[in-house]
Amino acid sequence: MNIDFLPLEKHHLDQAVQLSNTVGWPHRRCDWQRLLTLGSGIAGVNNGGLISTGMHWSFDARLATLGLVIVSPDYKRQGLGRKVMETLLEAITAERIELHATQAGAELYRSLGFKETAWVHQCQGWVTDSMAGQVPSSLPPHTLLRDFRASDYEAMIALDEQAIGSPRQALLSSLLAQGEALVLEQDNGQLSGAAICRDFGHGYVIGPVIANEHDDARCLIEAWLTRLSGSFVRLDTLDAELAAWLDGTGISEVDHIPQMVAGSDLPRSGPTKRYALASQALG
């Protein structure tokens, strides 16, 4: 079998959609295109056909994420996943690499030095019409919930860096260009949370959600759900309590996967936490 490992490029994307569909992932061509614009990847090609992929996104020297590692079911158990991973890892120079593993891939990632650090609750479902226009019941006192303004950009970047430990300007700029955001503003004018929503797959994804407190995160998510009445919504949360609350709204947990890390820890400089991912690929 003659497999060429090539840079993943735009002309591969139609086949990439077909490949991701074969493993039950909802990525559309535009979703692949957005991810490719932000990062780079590898394409495993056999006789002109795309049979494997993998991508990585480097935000700065401290942090990179890795994802969309897919092998065609027709080529399983032939070492392609390991080859893709090894090729990706050779290209990454960041001090810390994060990925979110399928249950099937976790053993491979452990063998390459990755360790579980947290669990991600993949929650999704249809938002009921009864939520339309409701005021979030969890709005913290002395806090204003409002739409994102251009003047909030630097404050949002700073909040996100506190939560992650690494700046992600390119990622947030791209997500804001694709979708919209809500923020929480305290009486003193400081932001205490933010949540971005954009179209993805079968509907919308809410994330990242970054906030100082659990109640702030819930308020932001609840606000988005009231705006997305009747829509299919996905949210990948690191918080089991939020996942349990979402289940009560009809946004049920459909998968539970490990967050895995290789490399050094990133110091956090404030109280802000990441309550939901931008996506399992982007972190």
Side-chain angles (χ1 to χ4, degrees):
M1 181 170 55
N2 183 24
I3 300 175
D4 296 315
F5 290 94
L6 309 170
L8 184 68
E9 297 180 348
K10 188 175 181 179
H11 66 84
H12 293 122
L13 295 187
D14 288 335
Q15 290 189 69
V17 174
Q18 297 174 17
L19 183 62
S20 55
N21 286 343
T22 64
V23 295
W25 294 4
H27 296 66
R28 306 162 298 174
R29 193 182 194 282
C30 62
D31 299 324
W32 275 95
Q33 177 65 62
R34 291 167 177 175
L35 290 166
L36 186 58
T37 299
L38 283 167
S40 58
I42 182 172
V45 178
N46 182 37
N47 293 326
L50 185 70
I51 62 170
S52 61
T53 61
M55 295 193 69
H56 69 91
W57 300 267
S58 295
F59 301 115
D60 75 347
R62 285 170 283 180
L63 176 65
T65 63
L66 190 155
L68 285 175
V69 178
I70 309 173
V71 175
S72 167
D74 295 333
Y75 292 84
K76 290 288 189 181
R77 302 189 183 280
Q78 298 184 40
L80 293 184
R82 179 173 293 276
K83 177 62 176 177
V84 168
M85 282 293 297
E86 290 174 344
T87 304
L88 289 173
L89 291 173
E90 287 176 0
I92 298 174
T93 59
E95 299 168 9
R96 177 183 174 92
I97 306 171
E98 295 182 359
L99 63 81
H100 298 91
T102 62
Q103 299 294 345
E107 183 176 352
L108 168 62
Y109 305 140
R110 289 189 200 102
S111 74
L112 293 168
F114 286 83
K115 297 180 180 179
E116 290 96 336
T117 58
W119 287 89
V120 175
H121 308 267
Q122 180 181 327
C123 303
Q124 62 187 46
W126 292 90
V127 184
T128 62
D129 290 336
S130 62
M131 296 191 71
Q134 292 184 19
V135 176
S137 59
S138 56
L139 183 63
H142 309 293
T143 303
L144 172 67
L145 170 68
R146 60 170 175 80
D147 291 313
F148 171 86
R149 303 168 185 156
S151 57
D152 297 321
Y153 179 74
E154 294 299 331
M156 180 186 285
I157 293 295
L159 275 181
D160 187 70
E161 184 171 356
Q162 283 183 28
I164 306 301
S166 174
R168 305 193 299 176
Q169 291 99 322
L171 171 60
L172 294 185
S173 294
S174 176
L175 298 180
L176 289 168
Q178 297 169 30
E180 300 177 70
L182 294 172
V183 300
L184 291 175
E185 181 183 340
Q186 298 175 331
D187 283 349
N188 61 6
Q190 299 296 309
L191 296 190
S192 59
I196 299 175
C197 180
R198 68 192 188 282
D199 67 292
F200 171 81
H202 302 308
Y204 295 90
V205 61
I206 300 172
V209 178
I210 48 178
N212 290 351
E213 303 286 348
H214 177 275
D215 287 349
D216 294 343
R218 175 174 164 172
C219 175
L220 288 161
I221 295 167
E222 192 173 5
W224 270 122
L225 294 180
T226 66
R227 294 192 179 195
L228 295 170
S229 176
S231 301
F232 185 83
V233 170
R234 173 172 172 171
L235 188 144
D236 294 286
T237 180
L238 298 158
D239 188 290
E241 187 178 345
L242 275 178
W245 167 72
L246 281 166
D247 187 65
T249 72
I251 310 300
S252 302
E253 183 172 331
V254 298
D255 205 358
H256 185 217
I257 64 169
Q259 180 186 73
M260 303 186 76
V261 171
S264 60
D265 292 336
L266 294 176
R268 288 174 51 208
S269 58
T272 313
K273 292 175 59 178
R274 170 176 50 177
Y275 285 92
L277 308 176
S279 71
Q280 290 183 15
L282 297 169

